[in-house]
């Protein structure tokens, strides 16, 4: 699948905003800690991926009712659904100058993940920090995708090819308006 930037300028995929707040001191502290043992961008990106995947439980899996959406809050509170975890990973990667995009898949509801473009690479590669559990084994790979879920077109599931510099408005709206995760589960977007 060819991935398509919705914004042509690569700088857009390095930007900070209210959601991808990679200039926040907490995000910067985690990025500094992770980069201390990372001699290059690949090693850092893999460490940041593992950090978000493994130390920020998916709130549905953990039974956590809190809803997070801002990257710094996801990292501080150590909880979030797929979108929130994608925001956290995006912030950690952008904090170290690695272009990172938000992207989505459609199952019964829309699932969020990221795409990275490491220095020296001429292509984007999708990564899914959702969090592993029985039946889910997402890994950081550049040679091929190993995402949490594989779409089945015969069930009208879709890999959206568009790479967003900012969270999709439908995703951000449902996160911001949710009073708790059970409420959020009733309002997740089913399409983009």
């Amino acid at each position: 699948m060819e991935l398509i930037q919705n914004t042509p300028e690569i700088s857009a995929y390095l930007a900070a905003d209210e959601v991808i707040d990679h200039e926040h001191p907490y995000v910067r502290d985690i990025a500094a800690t992770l980069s201390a043992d990372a001699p290059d961008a690949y090693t850092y990106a893999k460490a940041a991926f593992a950090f978000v995947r493994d130390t920020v439980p998916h709130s549905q899996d953990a039974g956590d009712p809190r809803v997070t959406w801002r990257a710094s809050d996801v990292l501080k509170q150590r909880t979030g659904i797929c979108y929130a975890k994608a925001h956290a990973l995006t912030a950690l990667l952008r904090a170290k100058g690695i272009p990172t995009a938000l992207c989505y898949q459609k199952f019964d509801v829309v699932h969020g993940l990221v795409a990275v473009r490491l220095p020296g690479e001429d292509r984007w590669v999708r990564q899914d920090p959702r969090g592993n559990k029985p039946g889910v084994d997402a890994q950081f790979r550049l040679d091929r995708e190993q995402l949490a879920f594989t779409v089945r077109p015969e069930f009208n599931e879709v890999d959206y090819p568009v790479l967003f510099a900012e969270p999709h408005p439908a995703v951000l709206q449902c996160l911001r308006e949710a009073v708790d995760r059970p409420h959020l589960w009733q309002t997740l977007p089913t399409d983009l």
Side-chain angles (χ1 to χ4, degrees):
M1 175 179 69
E2 182 181 347
L3 299 173
I4 305 159
Q5 293 176 209
N6 79 325
T7 304
E9 298 82 24
I10 199 76
S11 62
Y13 300 92
L14 292 167
D17 59 30
E18 180 185 16
V19 180
I20 312 300
D21 59 342
H22 66 73
E23 294 172 349
H24 190 283
Y26 195 79
V27 176
R28 291 284 183 188
D29 287 348
I30 292 173
T33 300
L34 292 172
S35 66
D37 295 323
D40 56 41
Y42 171 80
T43 307
Y44 173 77
K46 188 172 182 179
F49 171 85
F51 181 84
V52 173
R53 182 193 63 193
D54 299 342
T55 71
V56 179
H58 189 287
S59 56
Q60 174 71 15
D61 296 349
D64 192 326
R66 295 175 294 167
V67 175
T68 55
W69 52 269
R70 183 178 290 116
S72 58
D73 292 336
V74 175
L75 294 169
K76 277 184 198 174
Q77 295 180 36
R78 296 287 170 100
T79 191
I81 68 166
C82 59
Y83 310 136
K85 291 181 67 148
H87 299 166
L89 180 56
T90 299
L92 288 173
L93 294 174
R94 289 183 184 182
K96 289 298 177 179
I98 299 172
T100 308
L102 297 157
C103 49
Y104 303 93
Q105 296 174 305
K106 178 191 180 302
F107 298 99
D108 291 336
V109 294
V110 174
H111 173 63
L113 55 156
V114 306
V116 299
R117 188 167 177 174
L118 291 176
E121 295 287 326
D122 61 352
R123 66 188 178 95
W124 292 91
V125 182
R126 294 187 306 167
Q127 310 293 336
D128 193 341
R130 182 228 178 266
N132 291 340
K133 63 180 186 174
V136 175
D137 183 28
Q139 300 295 324
F140 186 88
R141 300 184 68 134
L142 298 181
D143 59 333
R144 66 177 176 84
E145 290 183 343
Q146 190 168 338
L147 307 176
F149 309 109
T150 303
V151 301
R152 300 166 301 173
E154 65 272 20
F155 292 102
N156 294 319
E157 296 173 352
V158 177
D159 274 318
Y160 291 111
V162 177
L163 302 176
F164 295 90
E166 299 172 347
H168 191 281
V171 166
L172 196 52
Q173 179 180 354
C174 78
L175 287 170
R176 284 182 166 160
E177 292 178 356
V179 295
D180 58 20
R181 189 186 33 77
H183 176 255
L184 174 63
W185 238 238
Q186 297 172 11
T187 62
L188 292 173
T190 57
D191 207 348
L192 295 183

